[in-house]
Amino acid sequence: MKIINVKLNGKNCQINIGYNIFSNKNMISYLKVYNNIVLITNVTLYNIYKKTIIFSLRQFKVINNIIILNDGEIYKTFNSIKIIVNNLIKLNYGRDITLMSFGGGVISDITGFAASIYKRGVKYINIPTTLLSQVDASIGGKTGVNNSLSKNVIGTFYHPKCVIIDTMFLKTLPRREFISGLSEVVKYAILFDKTFFYWIKSNLDSILFLDNKVLYDCICRSCKFKIDIICQDEKEKNIRMLLNLGHTFGHAIESFTKYTLLHGEAVSIGIVISSIFSNYLCKISLEQVQEIIDLFNLIGLPVTGPKNMKSKDYFRYMIRDKKNFSNKKIRIIVPNKIGKCVLLDNVDINLLTKIIDNNFLNDVLKYKKI
Ligand code: NAD
Ligand code: GLY
C-alpha cells in the first residue's frame, strides 16, 4: 500500500492507495481514530457492499450511522445536501462527527459540501469507488452540487482528512463507468507527461483487464499529478485551471444531454474539440491531434459531440463556466502538444463556432479514417 501525506496550507490529507485495503485490521484501527463516523453512500453501492465492507465497518463500530442517497448525477443537488443535513440535525450530531463518503465523484462532491457547511465544518473522509473518483474527484477538496443552469457552480474548497483508494472496488464498477474514468487519466498525460501518454497506450490491454499491478501504477501516477498541482495552487487561482482540460466543453455537453453522457465521456469529446481548436491556432500538430483521437478510440471513449448540439448550445453553458471572469469571455485549456497545455484567455468565438458547426465533425471523421 502506498501512503502519500499531502500538506496544503496547514491542512493535512493522507492518501492511501492499495488493493483490498479493508481486509487489513490496521485500516480498521486507523479509521477508529475518527469517532462518530456517518457513512454517506447511494442505494447502488449500499446494495452491493452491505454484506461485505459496510457490514464490517458496522461490525467493528467504525461507522455509527448511514445515510443512503439516490444514485445519479441528477441527485447532485441542494436537495441531497438538505437530506444529509436534516438527518444529522435530527440525530443530534455535533461538530465532532466525521462524514465518510463511499461512492463515486457524485457522492464525494456532495459529502464534502455537506461536511463543509454542517455546523460550519466537520471532518470528512473519502472512499472513492469509481476510477474517476480515485484519480480525480476524491482528491483536492473541490466539493459541490449542480444547478439547473450550470454544473458544479455551487460549492466550496474543503479537503478530506484522508482518502482511501482501494482498486478492489473497480471489480464491481460497470464497464462504461470504468472507461469513463480513463478519460481523466488520459487528461493528465496530455497535460503533463508524454511518456505517460504512450505508457497508457502500450499498457491499455492490462488496464482494461484490471490487472492489479498496472492499474495500481496507473492510479498512483495519476494521483501524483493531481497532488502536485493542488499543492501549488489549492484554490484554482492559476495552474490548477489546467486540470479543466476538456471540461468547459464537457460540462456543456453533460448539461445539454441531461447527463445521459457520463462525465468522462463528455470530457474526452471536450479534449478533442480543444485539440482541434488548438491545431487551428497552429499550436498542436495534426499528427498529435490524431494520436489523441486514436487513443480515445482505442479506449472506447467518444470523440464527437451530440449531432444536434450546435455552437450556440455549447456557448449557452460555457458562458457560465466558473473559470470565466464576469466579463462573459470564455476561457479554455488547450494542448500545445501532448504533455503541455495552456490556458486561452480570450477565445476567438468565430473560429470556435466554425469548428463546432462546420469543420469539427468532418475533421474528426477524416482523422479517424487515416
Ligand atoms: P458517479 O459518482 O455517478 O458514479 C458512477 C456510477 O457508478 C454510479 O451509478 C454509482 O452508483 C456507480 N458505482 C460507483 N462505484 C461503484 C462500484 N465500485 N461498483 C458498482 N457501481 C459503482 O460518477 P463518477 O464518474 O465517479 O463521478 C462523476 C462526478 O464527479 C461528476 O459529478 C463530476 O462533476 C465530479 N467530479 C468532481 C471532481 C472534483 O475534483 N471534485 C473531479 C472530477 C469529477
Ligand atoms: N477536477 C479538477 C480539479 O480538481 O481541479
Side-chain angles (χ1 to χ4, degrees):
M1 185 169 82
K2 190 181 207 61
I3 299 177
I4 309 172
N5 286 306
V6 184
K7 283 198 168 45
L8 292 143
N9 300 324
K11 298 169 285 264
N12 295 333
C13 171
Q14 187 181 84
I15 297 171
N16 305 262
I17 311 172
Y19 179 78
N20 203 8
I21 299 183
F22 287 91
S23 64
N24 185 335
K25 289 249 162 60
N26 290 338
M27 181 48 74
I28 300 291
S29 329
Y30 168 75
L31 287 172
K32 280 191 145 191
V33 170
Y34 300 91
N35 53 354
N36 280 337
I37 295 184
V38 178
L39 187 87
I40 316 279
T41 189
N42 69 28
V43 65
T44 310
L45 267 305
Y46 181 74
N47 285 330
I48 298 175
Y49 289 104
K50 66 182 170 202
K51 292 191 178 142
T52 53
I53 304 289
I54 296 179
F55 177 81
S56 34
L57 289 175
R58 262 182 161 148
Q59 192 189 28
F60 291 109
K61 299 199 171 11
V62 174
I63 56 173
N64 188 292
N65 236 311
I66 305 183
I67 298 173
I68 304 168
L69 302 173
N70 285 323
D71 182 9
E73 181 79 39
I74 54 163
Y75 297 103
K76 196 172 128 179
T77 57
F78 263 125
N79 196 47
S80 293
I81 301 295
K82 205 167 117 190
I83 293 172
I84 296 173
V85 169
N86 283 351
N87 268 290
L88 298 177
I89 295 172
K90 272 187 209 149
L91 295 162
N92 211 7
Y93 280 116
R95 266 195 188 148
D96 56 336
I97 58 162
T98 302
L99 302 187
M100 176 186 270
S101 79
F102 181 64
V106 167
I107 288 293
S108 56
D109 279 11
I110 294 174
T111 305
F113 189 36
S116 72
I117 58 171
Y118 184 65
K119 303 223 164 160
R120 301 214 164 81
V122 298
K123 293 190 272 294
Y124 79 108
I125 293 171
N126 280 334
I127 305 181
T129 59
T130 61
L131 178 62
L132 190 136
S133 57
Q134 297 191 342
V135 297
D136 191 358
S138 64
I139 302 169
K142 273 191 184 173
T143 81
V145 292
N146 302 329
N147 160 285
S148 59
L149 298 174
S150 192
K151 196 177 140 64
N152 287 345
V153 276
I154 303 152
T156 54
F157 283 102
Y158 195 70
H159 294 273
K161 286 285 169 209
C162 91
V163 181
I164 303 165
I165 299 173
D166 192 332
T167 58
M168 195 189 66
F169 292 125
L170 303 179
K171 295 207 185 300
T172 59
L173 186 66
R175 195 70 178 155
R176 185 175 166 206
E177 295 290 350
F178 180 79
I179 302 254
S180 165
L182 281 175
S183 185
E184 300 282 4
V185 173
V186 174
K187 176 192 79 177
Y188 290 125
I190 298 172
L191 280 172
F192 306 120
D193 191 346
K194 191 169 142 190
T195 322
F196 186 43
F197 184 89
Y198 296 113
W199 181 89
I200 298 169
K201 199 170 167 185
S202 47
N203 286 282
L204 191 58
D205 286 347
S206 310
I207 296 173
L208 294 172
F209 192 66
L210 304 190
D211 175 283
N212 270 342
K213 192 187 165 313
V214 176
L215 203 51
Y216 173 79
D217 280 355
C218 179
I219 292 172
C220 286
R221 286 171 85 161
S222 301
C223 289
K224 278 194 194 139
F225 289 120
K226 176 124 191 201
I227 293 165
D228 185 39
I229 290 295
I230 59 166
C231 286
Q232 294 177 61
D233 177 21
E234 185 195 346
K235 298 214 168 143
E236 201 170 286
K237 300 258 186 286
N238 42 70
I239 195 170
R240 185 167 178 172
M241 283 191 204
L242 292 178
L243 297 180
N244 289 297
L245 173 66
H247 283 59
T248 313
F249 298 105
H251 287 164
I253 295 168
E254 282 184 273
S255 300
F256 180 81
T257 59
K258 303 205 164 30
Y259 304 106
T260 50
L261 274 183
L262 302 180
H263 180 71
E265 294 171 341
V267 166
S268 61
I269 298 167
I271 293 178
V272 170
I273 304 176
S274 313
S275 306
I276 292 172
F277 185 62
S278 170
N279 175 254
Y280 273 78
L281 299 177
C282 303
K283 289 177 183 284
I284 193 169
S285 70
L286 201 57
E287 291 71 28
Q288 290 214 329
V289 177
Q290 167 80 62
E291 285 194 80
I292 292 171
I293 293 172
D294 282 350
L295 183 54
F296 284 141
N297 276 328
L298 269 178
I299 293 173
L301 280 161
V303 293
T304 55
K307 283 208 174 63
N308 59 341
M309 191 171 176
K310 303 292 172 211
S311 55
K312 65 172 178 21
D313 303 311
Y314 281 90
F315 298 147
R316 182 153 49 96
Y317 295 104
M318 287 168 77
I319 211 79
R320 299 200 183 98
D321 187 84
K322 59 189 174 325
K323 280 188 303 306
N324 301 338
F325 294 124
S326 304
N327 61 8
K328 297 200 171 157
K329 294 223 165 82
I330 289 174
R331 310 167 94 197
I332 58 169
I333 315 298
V334 296
N336 272 354
K337 56 183 179 181
I338 295 174
K340 177 109 189 83
C341 294
V342 289
L343 170 75
L344 281 190
D345 244 332
N346 206 343
V347 169
D348 178 344
I349 295 294
N350 290 334
L351 178 59
L352 199 51
T353 304
K354 267 194 214 155
I355 288 174
I356 293 171
D357 290 341
N358 307 321
N359 304 325
F360 161 57
L361 281 174
N362 291 340
D363 281 349
V364 174
L365 295 175
K366 184 178 77 196
Y367 294 147
K368 271 165 89 175
K369 276 190 206 137
I370 294 172

